[in-house]
Amino acid sequence: MEEELKCPVCGSFFREPIILPCSHNICLACARNILVQTPDAESPQSSRASGSGVSDYDYLDLDKMSLYSEADSGYGSYGGFVSAPTTPCQKSPNGVRVFPPAVPQPPPQHHLLGHPGSLPPIPRNSCLTCPQCHRSLILDERGLRGFAKNRVLEGVVDRYQQSKTAALKCQLCEKSPKEATVMCEQCDVFYCDPCRLRCHPPRGPLAKHRLVPPAQGRISRRTSPRKISTCTEHELENLSMYCVQCKMPVCYQCLEEGKHGTHEVKALGAMWKLHKGQLSQALNILSDRATEAKEFLVQLRNMVQHIQENGVEFEACLVAQCDALIDALNRRKAQLLTRVNKEHEHKLKVVRDQISHCTVKLRQTTGLMEYCLEVIKENDPSGFLQISDALIRRVHVTEGQWGKGTLTPRMTSDFDLTLDSGPLLQTIHQLDFIQMKVPSAPMLQLEECCTINNSATLSWKQPPLSTIAVDGYILELDDGNGGQFREVYVGTETICTVDGLHYNSTYMSRVKAFNASGVGQYSKTLAMQTSEIAWFTFDPTSAHPDIILSNDNLTVTCNSYDDRVVMGNSGFSRGVHYWEITVDRYDNHPDPAFGVARVDVLKDVMLGKDDKAWAMYVDNNRSWFMHNNSHTNRTDGGVSEEATVGVLLDFTRGILIFLINDEQQGPVAFEGIEGLYYPAVSLNRNVQVTWKQRRNVIAPTNV
């Protein structure tokens, strides 16, 4: 709190603080020190203000006259004005420039006689700039007397300074007073324990006196009635009302003179209590912010420790990574040296073999030459001719052995190995840290998320200010019954449609993003409700090519005499489902089949011929249930034009029931039904049926 109790100019505790129109405080003496005189031309009447209260304080106009200099962060005079002070300025402990007041002209004698000891008058057109918000204003004729004194701040400063003083001493000790232990509120005396027992015994008339700790007694001393504040406009009038528009206390005479006559005024005590309550509420909010700040500081201090720990760990990881690179380079170095040594040994072996071979041949050649020279020396013609032909052939053969390439080195002395270290050096130079974080939680775009029948479409995007790279997204849904989440999509798209969900179910969905650094947080969870009623039609994409669809895929027939299968475009795996099909055309001969099928049912045979369909086929007199080409439960009663066939698929009981014209046809057709089934029909060109859309899933009551 000490910073709040110090003047922004002198840096000391407030002495006689005054309240400026901007609600900041300043010592009275410091206010005189920072006054600056302005020329007459720069002092319009509209910008004059004083402590009497100008609630419509025009900061925009006063800013134009601000003396605050952004270049030196202090206060200065208007440059070039003759009336500006020419004495050099000084800086207060808080960095605010203070201009020593110029030596005033001697006031008139009658002024000095009439007000002995009064301060010199404030020069005309003096300007005061708030040292905290830098708002400037021109003082009126009352000068600094026009500002109200902040008695509350003065009292707080007094209590704070007294709380910092030394411990209170006993007032009755004769020599070297001891520290006081109690104070009597009635006697108004501080006692140490020996003096209290001697001078203030707890019996007799003094027994009713109230003894309190010294600190509390010091406070009770200061709670004596303060002097009632008086109006700055009318010094003899007490402040008794509060002007709501001007936001300042006023006296009765202020109301009488009409200055605040048209303003809304309230009782001073009521507004005092109201503002105390408002301040208490504001303090509660500020207290919450202070608590948050303390928790934030704890978080930051913990972060400092974590940074230090992570720094040591990261440094060790970096050293380990670099050491691993060095080890890999050393291993590669050893491998390359091995290759160089092999090449070295190979070259030496080839050259040495050539040296050995050439040496042997040279010795043979030299021996033959020496022998031939000796033979030439012989003088016996007949003997010479006996061997000359053979010697000539040998010489030619030997000379031929020294043919082209024989005297050419088979190996060069150069090593045809060049180490390509450029890419590795470039990679080493580019070795750096990757500043990447995990992505932020994506935002679900609610306006684009929807459900249609048993399909759900979800759309999302990254937060607007996020700059973190995203490699893809992971979409998760639960099982529609409060179970665990499961991944239904992984990819780069930001929109996904999930089909095959359960009807009349609530699915919880969420999405998260990922990149090379890891997986980010989940988005907010979105609840999506699938349709209570299944609105479906025949599916042209899965129908046999001979099937003909019309009436927005609600009516179907066939152009073949053979039975062909067509299914609905929605599948069911949970709940109770009932639908009806109307026979539009029937010539009493074919056997149309109605029922349910798996998605991979055969399309070119009657429904129920394979193990992927459960059906009832019917003619004009009777019906049969069929599954996996097994016929059961022949029942009288057939179909004709305009007849209605109903199918009840009940997963709660695991049964399949058929109806004709709202009457159950035979017993329960099939039991143990579970899995994913699609409505299905098989028919030929002699039959036409239409899906009868109903707005409920309730079967007739007799089923």
Side-chain angles (χ1 to χ4, degrees):
M1 186 180 65
E2 190 168 311
E3 294 181 4
E4 295 286 335
L5 306 181
K6 290 185 177 181
C7 175
V9 176
C10 63
S12 302
F13 288 106
F14 282 107
R15 294 185 297 274
E16 296 184 276
I18 59 175
I19 306 176
L20 301 180
C22 56
S23 300
H24 292 124
N25 300 279
I26 188 173
C27 294
L28 180 61
C30 295
R32 297 188 63 87
N33 287 341
I34 66 173
L35 284 176
V36 176
Q37 188 175 0
T38 62
D40 293 340
E42 297 293 329
S43 56
Q45 294 296 324
S46 62
S47 63
R48 294 183 179 272
S50 70
S52 61
V54 180
S55 60
D56 54 348
Y57 192 60
D58 191 355
Y59 287 120
L60 295 177
D61 290 341
L62 295 176
D63 276 345
K64 300 174 183 177
M65 303 189 305
S66 176
L67 306 182
Y68 176 64
S69 170
E70 295 182 357
D72 55 14
S73 299
Y75 294 89
S77 61
Y78 284 90
F81 294 152
V82 177
S83 59
T86 57
T87 55
C89 63
Q90 301 174 346
K91 278 196 175 183
S92 73
N94 283 2
V96 178
R97 292 193 171 189
V98 178
F99 292 93
V103 179
Q105 296 295 330
Q109 190 67 24
H110 69 275
H111 176 76
L112 294 177
L113 293 176
H115 302 278
S118 61
L119 294 172
I122 300 298
R124 186 168 60 89
N125 294 337
S126 294
C127 179
L128 179 65
T129 303
C130 175
Q132 290 183 274
C133 66
H134 314 303
R135 306 294 185 181
S136 303
L137 67 154
I138 306 298
L139 274 63
D140 59 14
E141 61 277 358
R142 292 175 299 161
L144 296 177
R145 290 185 299 104
F147 297 106
K149 292 185 178 180
N150 195 338
R151 300 186 183 278
V152 176
L153 177 58
E154 204 170 10
V156 174
V157 170
D158 180 52
R159 290 197 300 271
Y160 182 78
Q161 286 182 312
Q162 291 189 23
S163 66
K164 294 295 184 180
T165 57
L168 295 173
K169 302 296 184 180
C170 177
Q171 294 177 305
L172 298 180
C173 290
E174 296 181 356
K175 296 180 180 179
S176 60
K178 298 179 181 179
E179 183 177 345
T181 57
V182 295
M183 174 197 171
C184 178
E185 289 186 336
Q186 286 72 27
C187 301
D188 196 18
V189 176
F190 290 93
Y191 298 96
C192 63
D193 286 337
C195 293
R196 178 179 58 82
L197 294 175
R198 185 178 69 253
C199 304
H200 199 286
R203 59 184 179 276
L206 301 179
K208 296 182 179 181
H209 287 197
R210 185 167 179 258
L211 301 179
V212 296
Q216 183 178 346
R218 179 168 56 188
I219 294 175
S220 64
R221 273 187 171 184
R222 294 198 299 268
T223 56
S224 57
R226 294 184 179 272
K227 183 169 35 174
I228 299 177
S229 300
T230 58
C231 179
T232 55
E233 292 280 349
H234 314 94
E235 297 181 356
L236 299 180
E237 295 290 340
N238 296 332
L239 297 173
S240 58
M241 303 296 289
Y242 183 83
C243 179
V244 177
Q245 182 174 346
C246 298
K247 297 182 180 180
M248 59 176 296
V250 295
C251 66
Y252 177 76
Q253 192 170 348
C254 290
L255 300 178
E256 289 291 328
E257 291 181 353
K259 187 173 182 180
H260 302 274
T262 59
H263 296 175
E264 180 185 1
V265 294
K266 293 186 178 181
L268 192 66
M271 293 302 297
W272 171 60
K273 293 181 179 179
L274 176 63
H275 281 205
K276 270 196 171 183
Q278 293 176 351
L279 181 59
S280 299
Q281 293 178 357
L283 282 177
N284 289 334
I285 299 175
L286 188 60
S287 176
D288 294 339
R289 297 297 176 269
T291 303
E292 293 175 1
K294 290 179 182 178
E295 295 174 354
F296 180 63
L297 284 175
V298 173
Q299 179 182 353
L300 291 180
R301 293 189 180 99
N302 293 335
M303 189 179 294
V304 169
Q305 181 179 357
H306 292 159
I307 289 175
Q308 292 175 343
E309 296 174 355
N310 293 339
V312 174
E313 180 180 354
F314 192 80
E315 182 179 349
C317 180
L318 176 63
V319 171
Q321 287 179 311
C322 292
D323 289 343
L325 293 176
I326 294 173
D327 291 341
L329 186 61
N330 286 331
R331 289 194 298 270
R332 189 58 180 166
K333 172 185 173 183
Q335 295 173 357
L336 294 176
L337 286 176
T338 301
R339 288 182 57 185
V340 172
N341 291 333
K342 288 182 178 180
E343 184 71 12
H344 173 257
E345 294 297 333
H346 174 66
K347 285 180 176 291
L348 289 179
K349 183 178 182 304
V350 171
V351 173
R352 285 170 180 169
D353 289 346
Q354 192 173 12
I355 290 174
S356 176
H357 179 70
C358 187
T359 301
V360 171
K361 291 189 67 175
L362 179 60
R363 185 172 61 250
Q364 293 174 351
T365 301
T366 304
L368 179 60
M369 290 173 58
E370 292 179 352
Y371 174 67
C372 290
L373 290 175
E374 291 297 328
V375 170
I376 292 175
K377 293 178 181 180
E378 290 294 332
N379 295 323
D380 183 5
S382 60
F384 178 82
L385 292 174
Q386 287 179 345
I387 62 174
S388 60
D389 289 335
L391 287 177
I392 291 172
R393 286 195 301 272
R394 286 186 61 189
V395 169
H396 285 301
V397 171
T398 302
E399 190 274 336
Q401 292 178 350
W402 293 101
K404 184 178 181 181
T406 306
L407 299 179
T408 302
R410 298 177 184 174
M411 187 64 65
T412 63
S413 59
D414 298 330
F415 282 79
D416 298 329
L417 298 174
T418 302
L419 184 62
D420 186 11
S421 61
L424 179 59
L425 287 175
Q426 183 178 3
T427 303
I428 293 175
H429 292 154
Q430 293 176 348
L431 190 64
D432 201 351
F433 300 106
I434 299 177
Q435 297 291 344
M436 183 176 289
K437 300 179 181 179
V438 297
S440 305
M443 297 173 57
L444 289 170
Q445 296 183 277
L446 302 181
E447 65 278 3
E448 298 183 13
C449 298
C450 63
T451 58
I452 300 176
N453 280 340
N454 62 338
S455 298
T457 299
L458 295 105
S459 177
W460 59 87
K461 65 179 180 179
Q462 279 297 102
L465 300 180
S466 176
T467 58
I468 303 174
V470 175
D471 293 341
Y473 300 92
I474 300 174
L475 176 63
E476 296 182 357
L477 265 70
D478 68 355
D479 60 356
N481 198 25
Q484 293 183 348
F485 283 89
R486 58 189 176 89
E487 293 184 3
V488 296
Y489 171 75
V490 178
T492 58
E493 299 294 332
T494 58
I495 187 170
C496 178
T497 299
V498 183
D499 299 319
L501 303 177
H502 298 300
Y503 284 92
N504 195 22
S505 301
T506 301
Y507 285 86
M508 308 302 293
S509 58
R510 64 188 184 184
V511 65
K512 58 184 177 181
F514 64 88
N515 59 16
S517 295
V519 180
Q521 295 181 344
Y522 285 105
S523 66
K524 293 183 178 180
T525 302
L526 176 64
M528 305 192 73
Q529 176 72 35
T530 55
S531 300
E532 296 183 6
I533 303 172
W535 295 95
F536 54 89
T537 63
F538 290 110
D539 185 11
T541 61
S542 64
H544 190 278
D546 293 338
I547 293 293
I548 301 173
L549 293 97
S550 59
N551 189 22
D552 292 331
N553 296 333
L554 293 176
T555 301
V556 61
T557 185
C558 181
N559 60 10
S560 172
Y561 286 106
D562 296 323
D563 291 315
R564 302 296 187 231
V565 174
V566 58
M567 297 193 301
N569 59 0
S570 293
F572 310 116
S573 60
R574 186 169 64 182
V576 179
H577 305 275
Y578 177 75
W579 60 92
E580 292 181 343
I581 298 175
T582 302
V583 179
D584 301 328
R585 188 179 73 247
Y586 184 73
D587 65 359
N588 298 329
H589 295 293
D591 298 327
F594 308 87
V596 296
R598 303 284 192 187
V599 68
D600 54 347
V601 66
L602 295 177
K603 306 294 176 51
D604 56 354
V605 295
M606 178 184 288
L607 193 66
K609 286 285 187 177
D610 62 356
D611 61 348
K612 301 295 191 300
W614 293 256
M616 176 188 73
Y617 71 93
V618 58
D619 59 17
N620 60 340
N621 292 318
R622 52 196 174 274
S623 66
W624 294 263
F625 302 145
M626 186 166 62
H627 169 65
N628 199 16
N629 204 25
S630 174
H631 308 253
T632 60
N633 297 102
R634 189 180 81 168
T635 305
D636 292 336
V639 296
S640 60
E641 288 189 2
E642 299 184 358
T644 299
V645 177
V647 181
L648 176 62
L649 179 61
D650 188 350
F651 285 100
T652 60
R653 294 183 289 172
I655 62 175
L656 182 64
I657 297 175
F658 295 97
L659 301 92
I660 296 179
N661 296 327
D662 292 338
E663 295 292 336
Q664 183 172 338
Q665 184 73 1
V668 173
F670 301 100
E671 296 181 347
I673 298 295
E674 61 180 12
L676 179 63
Y677 298 89
Y678 290 82
V681 174
S682 68
L683 72 171
N684 60 22
R685 65 184 303 169
N686 297 315
V687 182
Q688 177 177 305
V689 298
T690 298
W691 221 309
K692 186 177 180 181
Q693 296 284 55
R694 296 177 59 129
R695 296 187 57 85
N696 56 66
V697 293
I698 306 301
T701 56
N702 59 345
V703 176

